[in-house]
């Protein structure tokens, strides 16, 4: 099964990316996922279920430990694609 994760971390800072946002992006970029797209207001990545779920676990733990007060995420099954 393939999954797509979309996430944001808060609080926002329009002048400079907060530490929690940088850490979350580093986790996703280093997780070996496909179609990684990071931006100032949202981030997405795709990959196999095990890889995405492992990355989400690390993302939540590390972003919260780095000062995030809220992490919003959505995980969707990518229809019609096999891992």
């Amino acid at each position: 099964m393939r999954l797509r994760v979309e996430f944001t971390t808060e609080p926002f800072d329009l002048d400079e990316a907060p530490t929690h946002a940088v850490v979350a992006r580093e986790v996703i970029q280093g997780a070996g996922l496909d179609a990684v797209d990071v931006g100032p207001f949202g981030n997405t990545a795709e990959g196999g279920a095990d890889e995405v779920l492992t990355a989400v676990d690390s993302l939540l733990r590390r972003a919260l430990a780095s000062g995030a007060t809220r992490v919003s995420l959505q995980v969707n099954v990518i229809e019609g694609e096999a891992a």
Side-chain angles (χ1 to χ4, degrees):
M1 173 186 337
R2 287 184 55 79
L3 301 175
R4 176 181 298 121
V5 61
E6 303 173 46
F7 69 92
T8 58
T9 62
E10 296 179 40
F12 295 114
D13 182 340
L14 297 178
D15 295 326
E16 183 177 333
T19 301
H20 59 80
V22 172
V23 166
R25 290 176 190 154
E26 288 173 351
V27 167
I28 290 300
Q29 289 173 322
L33 302 176
D34 307 324
V36 175
D37 183 22
V38 296
F41 299 109
N43 309 280
T44 62
E46 299 176 4
D50 287 339
E51 292 81 4
V52 169
L53 295 173
T54 297
V56 166
D57 177 67
S58 181
L59 178 147
L60 290 170
R61 292 175 188 277
R62 293 188 58 204
L64 292 168
S66 296
T69 57
R70 180 179 190 160
V71 179
S72 300
L73 68 92
Q74 181 172 331
V75 178
N76 295 299
V77 173
I78 301 173
E79 296 292 332
E81 296 189 32

